[in-house]
Amino acid sequence: MTRERWMASFFATGSLCFLVGPFPGYAQLVGAEADALTFFVGSILFTAGGALQVSLAWHERGSAAWWAATIQSAGTLFFNATTYQALHTSVSNADYDRLVWRPDALGSVCFLVSGVIAYRARRPGDGWPPAVNLLGCVFFGISAVAGYVVPSHGSILDLAAANWNTGLGAACFLACALATLRAKPSPAPPRAAGAASRAR
């Protein structure tokens, strides 16, 4: 299997984790810790896909594809921190916003910037994936805002919006990753095509 297909596979399986994790009833079925672990595993898969994407764009350093891949890859590292800390930090913890929400917000900003770069650099034959990828980045950004914990009452600003937007963003990323998997291999390096083809 080519590195491009491995990259798309990592993004697809990571997206599935972020699609299943906030799904209504999943946390009740498996428990809060297993649900948090689902997000953490998804973030690791995103990071593996992001690292492969950067390696594929390496010879184009300075290009839009390289910038999109590199910024997105940085975002996946923020999501690693977010999802790892969420395993150990309850929403009622006074440090929740600093430990979990802040890296989540930074990861979402990285995804948005990466998605905009990839969308602006799209070529005529790129089809729908750059737009759907950008939409997924927007959903992840909305999820981050909705996931802020209001200090005065120690609860998430809008848990339903955070969960729905995480799931919608993951669905967009999954669609883009599957499109990359179905595409015929080409000798040209891939454009940003995975999670920029996002913790939450």
Side-chain angles (χ1 to χ4, degrees), residues 72-121:
Q72 175 188 278
S73 197
T76 69
L77 295 175
F78 283 119
F79 290 132
N80 292 161
T82 293
T83 55
Y84 177 76
Q85 289 296 340
L87 281 167
H88 310 289
T89 310
S90 69
V91 173
S92 58
N93 187 317
D95 290 327
Y96 185 88
D97 282 335
R98 179 177 61 84
L99 295 174
V100 178
W101 182 81
R102 192 175 300 159
D104 186 42
L106 292 171
S108 295
V109 168
C110 288
F111 270 43
L112 278 168
V113 170
S114 171
V116 168
I117 292 170
Y119 180 77
R120 290 180 52 113

Side-chain angles (χ1 to χ4, degrees), residues 6 15 49 113 141:
W6 274 111
S15 297
V113 170

Side-chain angles (χ1 to χ4, degrees), residues 1-8 52-53 55-56:
M1 193 155 70
T2 65
R3 283 188 303 162
E4 184 175 2
R5 291 181 71 78
W6 274 111
M7 173 196 75
L52 278 171
Q53 190 172 6
S55 76
L56 287 164

